[in-house]
Amino acid sequence: MSELPKVSLAEQLADGILALDAVPAAVREKCQDLAVDVIGLCVTARQQDYVRAALAGCDDDGPCTAIGHARSLSAASAAFVNGTAAHGEDFDDTFEGGPVHAGAVIVPAVLAACERHKIGGPAALKGIALGVEVLCRLSLVVPKATHKAGFHPTAVFGALGAAAGVAAALGLDRRQTVDALGIAGSMASGIIEYLAEDAWTKRMHAGWAAQSGLRAAMLARAGFNGPRTVFEGTHGLFHGFAHTTKGDYQALIGDFGTRWVTATLAFKPYPCGTMTHPYIDCARRLALRGIRAEDIADIVCDVGEGTVHRLWEPLAAKQAPANGYGAKFSQPYCIAAALVRGNVSLGDFTDEAVKDPRVVALAQKVRYRIDPANPYPGAFTGHIRATLADGRVIEENQPHFRGGAQEPLTRADIEDKFALNCRHGGWGEGQARAALNCAQSLYNGAIDLRDLRGD
C-alpha cells in the first residue's frame, strides 16, 4: 500500500465546506430553481407504479414528508422515496460536465434531514448548495470513466454529495464531515444493467444515494468513522467505480467555494435522456420546415462516442423500444417522435405511445455516426442529416443544450414546468399554488413541508 497523505482530499474538501460563510446570490437562485423543479417532479410521478412500490416498500413511518402522499416516513425513507420520484421520469436537472443529476439526490436528502431535525431554511440552502457542488465536481475527476465501468455516476457520486450536503446542513465538524464522506463511499452503488430490459432500478438510484448520504452523515455525527482517503486511496472510490486512482482531483478541490459549477446546472425541457435533447430540437426544426416522416429516406446523426452504449445500441432495439421507459433512452425514438408530433412531452413515453406506427417507421430510418470531434460530456450538441425521398439532403445543428448555461430556462419557464408536472400528477390549481409557495419560500425560515403532502 502506498504511503498515506498527511492531508487527504476528503479533509481538504471538508475544509472548503466549513469555510463557506454565505451562498452567492447566483447559486441561491439556482438552488431556488432546484427546489421548485424537484418538488414538481415528485408530484408528477406520485401516482406511478414505481413510486407506489417505493413507498410501499418502506416500513418505517416517521415525521418526514413523502411529497404528494399523505403518509409520512422516517428521514431516510422520505429521502429515498422523494429522490426516486424526482429522478424517475428523467425530467430532472443535469450537470453537463458529468453528466450527473444533482437535484434529485441532494434536495430530498437535505430536506429530509432538516425536516426531521427541525433545522431552518438557511441551513437547508447551505446544505443543498454544497451537496450539489460536491456531486458535480466529483463527476469531473475522471469524466466518462464511471459510465464505461458500468456504473451510474449520479448514484455513485450522489451518495458522497448527499453526505456532504447533509453534513453541512446539520453543522458537522471537520472530523465528522470527513467521516461522513468516508462512510458514504461504502454506501455508493448503482449499476446500469437497467438498460438490458428497461428495469426500474435507474429510477431508484437518486433516492438510494439520497438516503445513503443522509445515513452516512448521521453515523458520522454519532462518532462512526470512515476512511479519510475515500477518494484517492488505493481501494478508494475512484479505484472501485472508475478503475483508476489517477484523475484531475483539482476539479474537486481546486477553487472550491470561490468558483461554483452549480451555477451552470441545466434544467430539462424534455422528459428523457439529456444528450438526446439537442437532437430533439433539430428534429422539431425539420418539422417546422414542413418535412414529414413520409418524406424521409434516411437520418444520420453525428454523436459523441460516450453516448452510444446507452442511447444507440443495440440499434435495432433502440429503433423499436419495447416500452415507454426504454424510449426515454432511445435517440431514434425521441427524434422520430419529435418530428412526427412536433414536440416531446410526458405523454410520449407511455407503452401505448411508443407503438405509434408513424413514429416506429421513422425511427427505423434513424442511425448514427460517431464524431471524434463531438465535445461530450463537456457540452451536449446535436446534428441531424436527413436524406429525403427526392434526393435532397437537409441538415440541422444544435450547438448547445437548451436549458443549460448557453440558453438557460427562465424562472417563469421552470414555474410553468412545475405547473405542468402538478397537473400531470393530478393536483388542482389550489394545491399546486400552495406547493409552489412552499418551494419559493423554502430557504427563508422554518422548514414546513405540510403543503407538499397529498391524498
Side-chain angles (χ1 to χ4, degrees), residues 18-41:
L18 292 169
L20 180 70
D21 293 323
V23 175
V27 178
R28 181 190 174 97
E29 287 297 304
K30 191 65 71 170
C31 290
Q32 184 69 72
D33 291 342
L34 274 177
V36 173
D37 199 50
V38 167
I39 290 169
L41 293 168

Side-chain angles (χ1 to χ4, degrees), residues 95-138:
F95 175 57
E96 292 181 76
V100 287
H101 307 283
V105 178
I106 306 303
V107 173
V110 172
L111 287 188
C114 290
E115 188 176 24
R116 170 65 179 84
H117 298 283
K118 297 180 172 57
I119 296 169
L125 170 62
K126 181 179 181 180
I128 289 170
L130 285 166
V132 169
E133 187 73 9
V134 169
L135 199 170
C136 293
R137 283 175 172 259
L138 281 168

